[in-house]
Amino acid sequence: MSDATLHSTTQDPDDFAVQIADQIESFLVAVTEVAKGDEPDSAVPFLLLEVSQLLLAGGRLGAHEDIVPEERYEPDTGPDADVDELRERFATMLDPIDVYSEVFDPYEPRRAPVPARISDDLADIITDLRHGMAHYSAGRTTEALWWWQFSYFSNWGSTASATLRALQSVVAHVRLNQPLAELDGLDTDQDLGDEILAEEAGRVMAREIAGPLGLRPVK
């Protein structure tokens, strides 16, 4: 299936695969547009919306019974497209709020938060979704659904969930007129290392997000 026929009128719009592919393609197109930096003032709210909608597709994949690929070995889709440019553009655009704290597994006891980056998260999510889209565009629908479901459980689902929490927190701070807390709540007794502590300090001290959101256009 080529890109030209991805939304062919002969496809059943109620078909599960078509709906999932539409949601994923919509996310890929939308975030690629955001990365251009033409409207930096609305980047965070727009990303919040897009990641939320993507997680609906993920939830549907997660609730679906296990999807079994038709072939024993995954067909070669060729090299994954390079996302470094997108990653760098997001890192520049989101610089004041790019680093955030994440608990990798909420069910693992006494797990310390670790620093993560929204720009890295978005790049990782895009890589996973594009890989499945390569199968879908080639007509391997079951393979695409299997990959999207598998990678939802193994990577992009948890990554998107963490990203959504970070984006929602940023928007909430702005809409509720609550600047980010200052450094006096940071636990420096944790053995996190100087570099991680510096990133953490930079995150919590980024007080002025409004204006709106304090984001810079990508040059």
Side-chain angles (χ1 to χ4, degrees), residues 8 14 16 52 58 67 79 91 94 101 115 117 125 130 150 157 162-163 185 196 213:
S8 170
D14 294 328
F16 178 77
S52 297
I67 299 168
L94 302 172
S101 295
R117 292 184 180 274
I125 294 165
R130 281 179 173 175
F150 167 76
T163 306
I196 292 178
L213 295 178

Side-chain angles (χ1 to χ4, degrees), residues 6-136:
L6 189 59
H7 299 292
S8 170
T9 56
T10 61
Q11 293 179 283
D12 183 356
D14 294 328
D15 183 75
F16 178 77
V18 173
Q19 292 177 355
I20 295 297
D22 281 350
Q23 288 179 280
I24 288 175
E25 186 190 33
S26 176
F27 174 83
L28 291 173
V29 170
V31 296
T32 301
E33 286 297 311
V34 174
K36 292 179 180 179
D38 294 337
E39 299 182 18
D41 292 352
S42 60
V44 169
F46 199 76
L47 288 172
L48 175 67
L49 175 62
E50 292 301 324
V51 175
S52 297
Q53 292 178 333
L54 175 65
L55 281 169
L56 173 59
R60 295 182 67 192
L61 286 164
H64 197 282
E65 62 185 5
D66 287 348
I67 299 168
V68 181
E70 297 173 351
E71 302 180 34
R72 182 176 180 181
Y73 298 104
E74 182 184 5
D76 185 13
T77 61
D80 290 330
D82 188 4
V83 296
D84 283 346
E85 182 179 355
L86 276 174
R87 187 195 314 271
E88 291 170 3
R89 295 179 76 85
F90 276 125
T92 300
M93 182 188 306
L94 302 172
D95 180 50
I97 46 92
D98 194 24
V99 178
Y100 68 96
S101 295
E102 176 193 2
V103 177
F104 182 73
D105 188 342
Y107 284 100
E108 186 174 339
R110 296 177 297 281
R111 179 80 179 194
V114 296
R117 292 184 180 274
I118 297 174
S119 55
D120 288 343
D121 291 350
L122 291 172
D124 289 347
I125 294 165
I126 289 168
T127 298
D128 277 347
L129 299 182
R130 281 179 173 175
H131 186 86
M133 188 59 72
H135 286 306
Y136 189 81

Side-chain angles (χ1 to χ4, degrees), residues 149-213:
Q149 185 185 60
F150 167 76
S151 57
Y152 168 75
F153 286 125
S154 63
N155 186 46
W156 73 261
S158 58
T159 301
S161 297
T163 306
L164 180 65
R165 289 192 62 193
L167 293 168
Q168 191 274 340
S169 178
V170 171
V171 173
H173 277 289
V174 174
R175 298 295 293 272
L176 299 176
N177 194 25
Q178 296 176 345
L180 292 178
E182 295 194 31
L183 190 60
D184 53 348
L186 182 63
D187 183 4
T188 56
D189 291 332
Q190 297 183 55
D191 186 18
L192 300 178
D194 292 341
E195 182 177 353
I196 292 178
L197 283 173
E199 288 184 333
E200 191 77 355
R203 180 189 66 81
V204 298
M205 293 181 71
R207 298 185 58 180
E208 298 302 328
I209 305 174
L213 295 178

